[in-house]
Amino acid sequence: MNSALRLLTVLGGSILLTAVVGWVIDVLLRRADARHPETPLWNSLRRCRTALQIVLLAALLRAAYRQTVWRPLQDHEEAVGRALSLALIGAGAWLITGMASATVESGYARYATGTRDPARVRRVRTQVTLIMRVVTAVVGVVAVAAMLLTFPSFRALGTSVLASAGIIGIVAGVAAQSTLGNLFAGFQIAFGDLVRIGDTVVVANEWGVVEEITLTFLAVRTWDERRITMPVSYFTTRPFENWSRGGAQMTGSVFLHCDHSAPVDLIRDKVREILDHCPQWDGRGWDVAVTETTPSTMVVRAIVTAKDPDCLWTVRCAVREQLIGWLSEKHPHALPRLVLEGAGDRDRAGGGTSPGARPPVRRLSGP
């Protein structure tokens, strides 16, 4: 009866103390959050309450479980101690990762709130994301190593591994050359400001927005909701287009093939009218000019501007669609026409005929 009472006292006391400490810390964090609403740090730290309670409970039980004289517990004393140690290490890693994540996210949120430059915000967001992945990976590796060292057999194995660490390091470096290359490329992207989360890029002839950057791969979301996943080393070894670098505003062009008789001045006026009624046009500039001619058509180029690539695409489509519709309705002769003329037609046009002339070919024209 005495052993059972001791067991209940140790177990119940540890649970009660853990619950009280967790409640007190949660109250203090809520008060701190109420006094400092400008930072989300204190509210984010409240998410670490469960991990903290597990750490505290495992530490209390690990220190006091030998004080119980309960026979089944004494028979498995080593296994129980190892299980509590594993729980303590795992919960400690969870707590460290959670606190680091809350601190980094709080700093990023304050920076994003006080900065008006979206490019710098995306750069910091990319760096914060990669830093958190590195911290999580390092804490996880250390936690797993600490767990393995609680087993005596792994301690002996660790001694032999350290003795041959040089050879193993060389072999591992050669085998993981590609992985290490992507790892260092990820750091280069994060702190070299090559590409950021939210940037509009063109890679492998595909247009899209950078959605995710990790230490080994990068995901691009295309305009049709596809995901292109490629190693981060692609962006450090090959050229690519970054439409968001140096500012999101862009200039685009719309090309139309028209007949030589097309009224360029009226087309210029119509483009201006279309842009005045297009909310995506930022008003920075526009132009219409004939840039090329062929034996059958001339190329009319309209230049438009917009605040970002998405708006630019909308403006270009609106100008192209409305301009073609206006030409079809008001000036059908301005659209390209295809004329097929045979030798017989040319002879009749010249006032003569020739033996064996081909039958006349019908003239085909556009609208």
Side-chain angles (χ1 to χ4, degrees), residues 167-180:
I167 299 177
I168 293 177
I170 295 175
V171 174
V174 174
Q177 183 177 3
S178 177
T179 302
L180 292 176

Side-chain angles (χ1 to χ4, degrees), residues 20 92 95 102 111 120 122 139 143 147 153 162 177 180 188 209 215 218 226 228 240 243 290 297 318 339 350:
V20 171
L95 178 61
Y111 181 84
R120 300 183 65 180
R122 290 198 302 270
V139 172
M147 289 180 178
S153 57
L162 289 176
Q177 183 177 3
L180 292 176
Q188 186 176 354
V209 178
L215 290 177
L218 185 146
R226 291 181 292 116
I228 301 177
F240 66 95
W243 291 1
V290 177
T297 62
V339 178

Side-chain angles (χ1 to χ4, degrees), residues 249-287:
Q249 59 187 18
M250 295 189 65
T251 300
S253 55
V254 177
F255 292 94
L256 290 179
H257 291 266
C258 300
D259 189 78
H260 291 102
S261 60
V264 179
D265 291 337
L266 296 180
I267 292 176
R268 187 175 289 111
D269 295 338
K270 185 60 180 180
V271 170
R272 176 66 192 203
E273 178 185 345
I274 295 172
L275 293 176
D276 288 339
H277 293 84
C278 183
Q280 287 77 20
W281 181 53
D282 61 359
R284 288 190 298 116
W286 69 281
D287 189 25

Side-chain angles (χ1 to χ4, degrees), residues 16-245:
L16 180 62
L17 181 60
T18 299
V20 171
V21 171
W23 178 78
V24 171
I25 292 179
D26 187 68
V27 170
L28 293 177
L29 290 177
R30 279 187 292 177
R31 291 182 178 178
D33 182 61
R35 286 196 300 266
H36 303 281
E38 72 280 358
T39 174
L41 174 62
W42 309 111
N43 188 47
S44 299
L45 286 175
R46 292 181 60 196
R47 296 179 299 182
C48 304
R49 176 182 176 181
T50 303
L52 176 63
Q53 288 179 317
I54 296 176
V55 169
L56 183 59
L57 180 60
L60 291 174
L61 293 178
R62 183 70 177 81
Y65 81 99
R66 288 192 178 90
Q67 303 301 322
T68 63
V69 292
W70 193 38
R71 186 60 180 272
L73 191 61
Q74 291 179 341
D75 294 340
H76 302 85
E77 180 178 346
E78 184 178 357
V80 172
R82 184 174 293 114
L84 292 174
S85 298
L86 294 176
L88 180 60
I89 295 172
W94 182 14
L95 178 61
I96 293 174
T97 304
M99 293 177 64
S101 176
T103 303
V104 171
E105 289 179 2
S106 173
Y108 168 72
R110 295 188 63 179
Y111 181 84
T113 303
T115 304
R116 297 183 178 180
D117 187 357
R120 300 183 65 180
V121 172
R122 290 198 302 270
R123 180 180 61 185
V124 173
R125 179 185 175 189
T126 303
Q127 295 174 352
V128 164
T129 302
L130 292 179
I131 288 174
M132 275 310 306
R133 293 184 185 276
V134 171
V135 170
T136 302
V138 171
V139 172
V141 170
V142 172
V144 171
M147 289 180 178
L148 293 178
L149 290 177
T150 60
F151 297 90
S153 57
F154 280 98
R155 293 178 186 174
L157 179 62
T159 304
S160 61
V161 168
L162 289 176
S164 57
I167 299 177
I168 293 177
I170 295 175
V171 174
V174 174
Q177 183 177 3
S178 177
T179 302
L180 292 176
N182 283 325
L183 181 63
F184 288 114
F187 283 108
Q188 186 176 354
I189 285 178
F191 299 100
D193 200 22
L194 295 178
V195 63
R196 299 155 296 198
I197 295 176
D199 280 2
T200 302
V201 297
V202 178
V203 290
N205 297 323
E206 293 283 353
W207 176 90
V209 178
V210 178
E211 188 176 53
E212 183 181 5
I213 299 178
T214 69
L215 290 177
T216 56
F217 72 89
L218 185 146
V220 177
R221 185 185 73 251
T222 61
W223 65 273
D224 54 355
E225 301 298 328
R226 291 181 292 116
R227 302 299 189 276
I228 301 177
T229 303
M230 55 186 62
V232 292
S233 59
Y234 178 95
F235 292 86
T236 58
T237 58
R238 301 181 184 180
F240 66 95
E241 296 183 29
N242 189 341
W243 291 1
S244 300
R245 190 174 180 86

